[in-house]
């Protein structure tokens, strides 16, 4: 993967009509192309010699010549961006041209995700999202009615209401700005509803400890009236860790085929009327949704309605219309309906390597892994997301990933980083690979596929966001194991054979080319290969990579399997329970710690997971005696195993602490200041994580600073329990690859979570 300059709107992409109009506007002597040439020359890249200016002037001698068009062609050749030209036109005060280009820029701003109306219980968390594609430098303004919500305006596309209350009810809209141009989203209505007595009514402490082991319904199914033949869609959404599972009930009877947050019945009949509820559960908690009553109204399509409405069709056209795709599927031949496929579970391993020791460092993999993790979780994947792994850690991570697979499970492997392809085999490069690396120092993707097939998986998807150029240092022909004919393999390569993959530089964190387009389509209910074909089509329209990078799809998938397929397992599946527990053990955060110092100061430690191997610790002062004028609590004395940038530790904001992605998540209340410390490479932690909390304070009327320290041990958080730094002898003997006390830890963990669940239900929180 190579670096690429910031993706810009180029003059080369302007429509011919716009370019002709702009050329005509610049063909004048008072405020035209000559004045523009003087302004653009302030940038050495666009400086024009006297000869070039003369050549542009001579265009007037031609009957169809245009000096303005000639000058614009020069700017195109020098890769002038539309935004730079717009700024220069403003400097020469060419109002007509500015208006034309501003309208063109506005057309590039396209809202891809509109904020949706929501009904939420008291105290719940509400998130309104307005996602936009367009030029860099977009800003967002949120309004409730006519009043701007100042604290929500900026560069984030999300408006978060932490604790829903009566004052938050109303109409919301988002304005997306780019310079002097703007576009508005659609209105979203937020309404307060009675909360479910079995769900948590209060807003948790955000992404920090306390939310790591809970289960809370944030969107309840709504009662509705539909007509026979219409589609019925009910939604029940919950936040939980471990991930929530769903089971829908109709008139108190389980619906075995409906185990996703969305209940979708394509064509309702009178048999579907009644009461619907959803049971939401994970390993340690269980809650029920509010009941939703579905009534069947007048039939929308009847035989008489076809006869009564005269649409000017002859009998043959009427027959054709009745058998068209718009008619309810149950009114057609059942044999024409496509078969519904299910997964017994869905597991994804996402690896992003950025900080290479002997290769060019990359930027996009962090944002790519984070973005893809969120999207896959929406489709009920168990996601393991890891950054910056060496060879041993990658090998161990793959082994643990394989342990999560089983018969009928959908397995997805995504890798973003350096890579190469020799003799048809793809190799992922770890961060510790030497400068002249070979297959001996890398991980062969085809070997992973062979091991996945041994698990009798239902779907094997590989998304490889890396270069595929040949490695001249590697002449070894790797012979992976023989592949079975399973017709369930999909390879999505970010680029073609012997080509490079690129990343864009737009801001501090931005996606690579592949994920920028994949995220638009991956959640679509389409066959995986159809979805990737659409990604390829979109990528092909990007001018900046045309002829340099194009998605390549290789597949033998014969069935219409989609990443959105529902999960269907037997309620007592031992394999499913083992996978859930195995995944949960590696994603448990430490509990919130409350530390009392001798001086009377009380400090809270909170914990958040940015990735499976990256954790953020938050410290804040909860209480201090009146005789103490000021105090601060900082974290020190971390073990050498983990990776901490001391210059960015104990910072007032997540951004200053180096966490550029968690700022989009729910944050603690701004009125409670604190400090953030980001801990990376947890997979290298050999012992329990121990550090010190250093409290510095000053008494009233005294100048001397006093210091107290307390040691804190928080166990082995997140993926550190898996000991990925240790060699694996075989997948069979690896088990959970935990310490010798793993079984007792797991038992203790289960009892602890069960106790938490019991307490939560008894206190209704």
């Amino acid at each position: 993967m190579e670096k690429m300059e910031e993706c810009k709107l180029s003059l080369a992409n302007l429509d011919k009509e716009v370019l002709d109009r702009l050329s005509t506007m610049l063909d004048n002597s008072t405020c035209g192309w000559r004045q523009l040439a003087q302004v653009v020359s302030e940038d050495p890249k666009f400086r024009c010699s006297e000869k070039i200016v003369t050549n542009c002037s001579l265009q007037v001698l031609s009957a169809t010549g245009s000096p303005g068009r000639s000058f614009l062609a020069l700017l195109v050749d020098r890769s002038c961006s539309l935004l730079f030209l717009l700024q220069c036109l403003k400097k020469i005060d060419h109002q007509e041209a500015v208006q034309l280009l501003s309208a063109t820029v506005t057309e590039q701003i396209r809202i891809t995700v509109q904020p949706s109306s929501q009904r939420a219980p008291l105290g719940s968390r509400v998130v309104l999202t307005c996602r936009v594609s367009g030029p860099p430098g977009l800003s967002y303004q949120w309004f409730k009615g006519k009043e701007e919500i100042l604290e929500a305006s900026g560069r984030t596309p999300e408006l978060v209401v932490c604790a829903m209350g009566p004052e938050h009810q109303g109409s919301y809209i988002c304005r997306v700005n780019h310079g002097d141009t703007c576009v508005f989203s659609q209105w979203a209505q937020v309404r307060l509803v009675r909360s479910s007595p079995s769900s948590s009514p209060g807003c948790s402490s955000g992404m920090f400890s306390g939310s790591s082991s809970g289960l809370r319904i944030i969107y309840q199914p709504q009662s509705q009236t539909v007509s026979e033949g219409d589609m019925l869609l009910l939604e029940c959404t919950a936040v939980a860790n471990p991930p929530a599972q769903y089971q829908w009930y109709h008139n108190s009877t389980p619906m075995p085929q409906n185990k996703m947050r969305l209940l979708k019945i394509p064509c309702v009949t009178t048999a579907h009327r009644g009461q619907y509820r959803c049971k939401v559960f994970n390993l340690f908690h269980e809650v029920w949704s509010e009941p939703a009553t579905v009534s069947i109204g007048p039939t929308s399509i009847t035989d008489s309605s076809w006869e009564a409405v005269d649409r000017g069709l002859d009998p043959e056209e009427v027959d054709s219309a009745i058998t068209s795709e718009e008619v309810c599927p149950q009114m057609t031949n059942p044999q024409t309906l496509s078969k519904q496929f299910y997964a017994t579970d869905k597991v994804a391993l996402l690896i992003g390597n950025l900080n290479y020791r002997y290769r060019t460092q990359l930027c996009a993999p962090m944002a790519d892994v984070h973005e893809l993790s969120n999207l896959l979780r929406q489709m009920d994947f168990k996601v393991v997301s890891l950054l910056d792994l060496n060879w041993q850690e990658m090998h161990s991570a793959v082994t643990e990933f394989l342990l999560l697979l089983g018969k009928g499970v959908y397995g997805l492997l995504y890798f973003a980083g350096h890579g190469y392809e020799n003799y048809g085999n793809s190799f992922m490069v770890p961060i510790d690979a030497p400068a002249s690396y070979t297959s001996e120092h890398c991980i062969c993707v085809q070997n992973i596929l062979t091991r996945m097939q041994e698990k009798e998986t239902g779907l094997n998807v590989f998304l490889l966001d890396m270069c595929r150029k040949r490695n001249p240092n590697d002449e070894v022909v790797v012979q992976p194991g023989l592949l079975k004919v399973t017709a369930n393999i999909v390879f999505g390569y970010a680029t073609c054979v012997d080509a490079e993959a690129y990343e864009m530089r737009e801001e501090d964190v931005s996606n690579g080319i592949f994920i920028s387009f994949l995220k638009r389509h991956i959640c679509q209910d389409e066959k995986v290969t159809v979805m990737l074909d659409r990604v390829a089509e979109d990528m092909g329209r990007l001018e900046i990579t045309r002829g340099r990078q194009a998605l390549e799809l290789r597949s033998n998938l014969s069935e219409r399997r989609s990443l959105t397929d529902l999960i269907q397992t037997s309620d007592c599946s031992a394999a499913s329970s083992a996978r859930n527990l195995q995944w949960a053990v590696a994603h448990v955060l430490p509990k919130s710690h409350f530390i009392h110092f001798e001086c009377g100061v009380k400090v809270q430690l909170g914990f958040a997971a940015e990735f499976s191997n990256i954790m953020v610790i938050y410290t804040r002062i909860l209480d201090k005696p009146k005789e103490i004028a000021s105090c601060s609590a900082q974290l020190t004395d971390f073990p050498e195993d983990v990776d901490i940038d001391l210059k960015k530790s104990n910072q007032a904001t997540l951004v200053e602490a180096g966490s550029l992605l968690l700022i989009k998540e729910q944050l603690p209340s701004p009125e409670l200041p604190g400090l953030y410390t980001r801990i990376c490479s947890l997979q290298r932690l050999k012992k329990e994580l121990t550090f010190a909390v250093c409290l510095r304070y000053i008494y009233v009327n005294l100048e001397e600073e006093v210091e107290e320290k307390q040691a804190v041990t928080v166990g082995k958080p997140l993926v550190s329990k898996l000991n990925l730094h240790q060699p694996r002898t075989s997948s069979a003997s690896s088990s959970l690859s935990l310490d010798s006390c793993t079984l007792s830890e797991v038992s203790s963990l289960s009892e602890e979570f069960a106790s938490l669940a019991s307490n939560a239900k008894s206190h209704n929180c």
Side-chain angles (χ1 to χ4, degrees), residues 11 80 99 106 189 258 327 370 383 433 520 574 705 729 756:
L11 280 179
C80 176
Q99 185 176 0
T106 303
Q189 306 295 327
N258 299 99
V327 178
H370 187 266
V383 179
R520 303 178 186 177
E705 187 177 69
T729 54
L756 285 173

Side-chain angles (χ1 to χ4, degrees), residues 77-211:
D77 291 340
R78 298 187 183 184
S79 302
C80 176
S81 73
L82 193 57
L83 301 180
F84 176 75
L85 178 60
L86 187 56
Q87 293 172 358
C88 293
L89 288 171
K90 290 179 180 178
K91 289 183 179 180
I92 66 174
D93 199 25
H94 199 310
Q95 297 296 329
E96 189 180 10
V98 168
Q99 185 176 0
L100 175 65
L101 286 192
S102 296
T104 303
V105 172
T106 303
E107 292 174 359
Q108 304 294 327
I109 304 175
R110 184 169 59 90
I111 297 180
T112 56
V113 177
Q114 294 278 2
S116 57
S117 297
Q118 299 185 36
R119 300 177 67 191
L122 184 67
S124 64
R125 178 175 180 254
V126 176
V127 180
L128 296 178
T129 302
C130 178
R131 297 202 180 277
V132 180
S133 64
L138 296 174
S139 63
Y140 301 81
Q141 287 177 280
W142 285 93
F143 295 84
K144 182 188 176 191
K146 295 182 179 180
E147 296 183 6
E148 182 180 1
I149 307 172
L150 296 176
E151 60 269 23
S153 298
R155 295 194 176 274
T156 174
E158 294 178 341
L159 170 65
V160 179
V161 178
C162 180
M164 180 67 182
E167 69 277 10
H168 296 121
Q169 292 192 105
S171 302
Y172 292 81
I173 194 170
C174 180
R175 183 169 76 179
V176 184
N177 304 293
H178 186 274
D180 298 330
T181 61
C182 68
V183 295
F184 283 90
S185 72
Q186 65 185 19
W187 286 96
Q189 306 295 327
V190 175
R191 293 287 179 264
L192 189 65
V193 296
R194 180 175 61 85
S195 61
S196 171
S198 60
S199 62
S200 172
C203 182
S204 68
S205 58
M207 59 184 179
F208 293 94
S209 66
S211 64

Side-chain angles (χ1 to χ4, degrees), residues 155-303:
R155 295 194 176 274
T156 174
E158 294 178 341
L159 170 65
V160 179
V161 178
C162 180
M164 180 67 182
E167 69 277 10
H168 296 121
Q169 292 192 105
S171 302
Y172 292 81
I173 194 170
C174 180
R175 183 169 76 179
V176 184
N177 304 293
H178 186 274
D180 298 330
T181 61
C182 68
V183 295
F184 283 90
S185 72
Q186 65 185 19
W187 286 96
Q189 306 295 327
V190 175
R191 293 287 179 264
L192 189 65
V193 296
R194 180 175 61 85
S195 61
S196 171
S198 60
S199 62
S200 172
C203 182
S204 68
S205 58
M207 59 184 179
F208 293 94
S209 66
S211 64
S212 62
S213 60
L215 174 62
R216 179 163 54 88
I217 294 178
I218 60 174
Y219 190 85
Q220 299 280 357
Q222 306 298 315
S223 297
Q224 52 188 283
T225 300
V226 293
S227 301
E228 281 192 271
D230 287 350
M231 175 185 291
L232 173 63
L233 191 64
L234 294 174
E235 178 181 359
C236 178
T237 302
V239 290
N241 188 3
Q245 298 184 54
Y246 301 82
Q247 175 61 65
W248 285 91
Y249 287 75
H250 177 216
N251 295 331
S252 301
T253 302
M255 305 173 70
Q257 307 299 324
N258 299 99
K259 296 188 176 184
M260 295 282 284
R261 64 184 183 87
L262 290 177
L263 170 63
K264 185 177 179 181
I265 300 177
C267 186
V268 298
T269 66
T270 54
H272 294 115
R273 65 161 57 99
Q275 190 180 84
Y276 290 79
R277 293 190 75 188
C278 184
K279 181 176 74 172
V280 186
F281 60 98
N282 59 17
L283 284 174
F284 314 107
H285 302 272
E286 176 184 307
V287 296
W288 286 81
S289 72
E290 292 182 348
T293 301
V294 174
S295 304
I296 307 299
T299 305
S300 58
I301 299 178
T302 63
D303 292 338

